């Protein structure tokens, strides 16, 4: 059975990890917000210019680039692809909405 001192030390270690995770999560949210501010401007530009909301060749290049980055970062490339596909799908939805205005 763990002593109270061991439990307190483990709790402090866990709290430190969780604080780091919370900081990273906050950074991710801020980075996504900035990314979507920029893609909103892209969507407005595309709408004004009569360009399509989606660019499949660009999307494919981005996915491959991010899969390679994931491998280099020792992150599951399948996860990175699912994540960026979700983001791309949301961006396209926003671009289509901009085109309908």
């Amino acid at each position: 059975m763990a002593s109270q001192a061991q439990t307190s030390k483990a709790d402090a270690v866990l709290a430190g990890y969780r604080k780091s995770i919370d900081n990273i999560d906050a950074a991710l949210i801020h980075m996504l917000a900035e990314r979507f501010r920029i893609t909103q401007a892209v969507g407005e530009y595309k709408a004004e210019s009569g360009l399509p909301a989606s660019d499949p060749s660009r999307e494919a290049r981005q996915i491959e680039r991010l899969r390679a980055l994931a491998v280099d970062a020792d992150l599951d490339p399948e996860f990175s692809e699912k994540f960026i596909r979700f983001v791309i799908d949301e961006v396209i939805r926003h671009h289509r909405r901009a085109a309908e205005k």
Side-chain angles (χ1 to χ4, degrees), residues 44-70:
E44 291 168 5
Y45 176 81
K46 284 181 170 184
E48 292 167 3
S49 302
L51 296 170
S54 140
D55 182 345
S57 64
R58 161 98 173 132
E59 294 154 22
R61 286 190 311 273
Q62 280 293 90
I63 287 167
E64 286 308 309
R65 185 177 74 83
L66 294 176
R67 283 182 67 93
L69 286 171

Side-chain angles (χ1 to χ4, degrees), residues 55-93:
D55 182 345
S57 64
R58 161 98 173 132
E59 294 154 22
R61 286 190 311 273
Q62 280 293 90
I63 287 167
E64 286 308 309
R65 185 177 74 83
L66 294 176
R67 283 182 67 93
L69 286 171
V71 169
D72 290 345
D74 200 24
L75 179 68
D76 179 4
E78 293 297 319
F79 169 78
S80 69
E81 182 173 342
K82 288 177 188 175
F83 177 79
I84 199 62
R85 281 190 187 278
F86 175 79
V87 170
I88 289 170
D89 289 346
E90 190 65 14
V91 167
I92 291 168
R93 187 175 69 81

Side-chain angles (χ1 to χ4, degrees), residues 2-13:
S3 71
Q4 187 173 5
Q6 288 172 325
T7 301
S8 293
K9 183 178 177 184
D11 289 349
V13 169

